[in-house]
Amino acid sequence: MSSSILREIQLSGLDVRALVEGDLPKVLELERLGYSHPWTEAVFRDCFKDTYRLWALVQEGDLRGYAVVNYMVDEAHLLNLCIHPGLRGQGAGRQLLRRALAESIKDGMAQMILEVRQSNAAAATLYRREGFEEIGRRPGYYPDAVGREDALVLVYRFT
Ligand SMILES: CC(C)(COP(=O)(O)OP(=O)(O)OC[C@H]1O[C@@H](n2cnc3c(N)ncnc32)[C@H](O)[C@@H]1OP(=O)(O)O)[C@@H](O)C(=O)NCCC(=O)NCCS
């Protein structure tokens, strides 16, 4: 297990709690600010199931970010990680990611896997610095402005 998981962090004033359906209006706002092709409300609602873990990053009661993880047997799939634009670059994404990793380990997962757009340098750098490694690419996985874009597939093995 990489040491970064053992270094769960808490930035001043930022807490992580379970995301609830009542958070969805704010989630959808952040989602539209975060992505060129945002998830719809229906996609988020479909994630409120036993095999999913949804995390909210809050600051003085306000939703500032969220993460969505799907458990498949012993694999945690990070489906979404998003931080309010005004809070980026201050360690909030790292805090939320580390919490999602730590919870996945507690829940008995063996690894976390994710896809990220190859153009998303901020996210790919965060994941790599936290211990993820590239295990493949999915050609044309994402829609982009003019066609399709490849996904990098990254994994973090816990054992
Ligand atoms: C990706 C995202 C979650 C990162 O959150 P963040 O709070 O800004 O990230 P942090 O401040 O915790 O940064 C942690 C590390 O990530 C890397 N990083 C973050 N932003 C970066 C950027 N713009 N360029 C390069 N590296 C960056 C750095 O290594 C940074 O560590 P350092 O500051 O010690 O060098 C955020 O940019 C976001 O919400 N983007 C829109 C949604 C998205 O693309 N999500 C990922 C989908 S796979």
Side-chain angles (χ1 to χ4, degrees), residues 28-58:
L28 292 169
E29 266 181 50
L30 294 189
E31 178 77 9
R32 284 190 282 268
L33 294 172
Y35 295 103
S36 57
H37 295 74
W39 283 11
T40 63
E41 180 174 350
V43 172
F44 279 105
R45 285 202 185 278
D46 210 37
C47 295
F48 286 88
K49 292 179 180 154
D50 285 353
T51 53
Y52 288 77
R53 297 292 179 275
L54 297 96
W55 302 109
L57 184 76
V58 292

Side-chain angles (χ1 to χ4, degrees), residues 1-36:
M1 183 188 305
S2 157
S3 60
S4 79
I5 291 179
L6 305 176
R7 291 185 283 113
E8 225 182 303
I9 46 174
Q10 184 171 357
L11 300 180
S12 170
L14 285 178
D15 291 305
V16 179
R17 61 160 170 79
L19 189 84
V20 295
E21 291 197 57
D23 292 316
L24 283 183
K26 190 69 191 176
V27 166
L28 292 169
E29 266 181 50
L30 294 189
E31 178 77 9
R32 284 190 282 268
L33 294 172
Y35 295 103
S36 57

Side-chain angles (χ1 to χ4, degrees), residues 46-121:
D46 210 37
C47 295
F48 286 88
K49 292 179 180 154
D50 285 353
T51 53
Y52 288 77
R53 297 292 179 275
L54 297 96
W55 302 109
L57 184 76
V58 292
Q59 187 176 43
E60 294 172 1
D62 286 337
L63 188 84
R64 311 296 280 170
Y66 51 88
V68 179
V69 182
N70 179 215
Y71 291 168
M72 288 177 290
V73 193
D74 63 352
E75 182 172 282
H77 197 160
L78 181 65
L79 300 176
N80 200 329
L81 176 75
C82 189
I83 300 296
H84 187 291
L87 196 63
R88 290 186 198 155
Q90 298 170 54
R94 176 180 284 130
Q95 177 177 338
L96 189 53
L97 177 62
R98 286 189 184 180
R99 178 64 180 274
L101 284 163
E103 295 286 345
S104 297
I105 291 169
K106 274 189 217 163
D107 288 333
M109 298 296 115
Q111 62 184 19
M112 181 175 280
I113 193 165
L114 61 86
E115 286 89 16
V116 58
R117 284 179 185 270
Q118 66 173 8
S119 64
N120 193 345

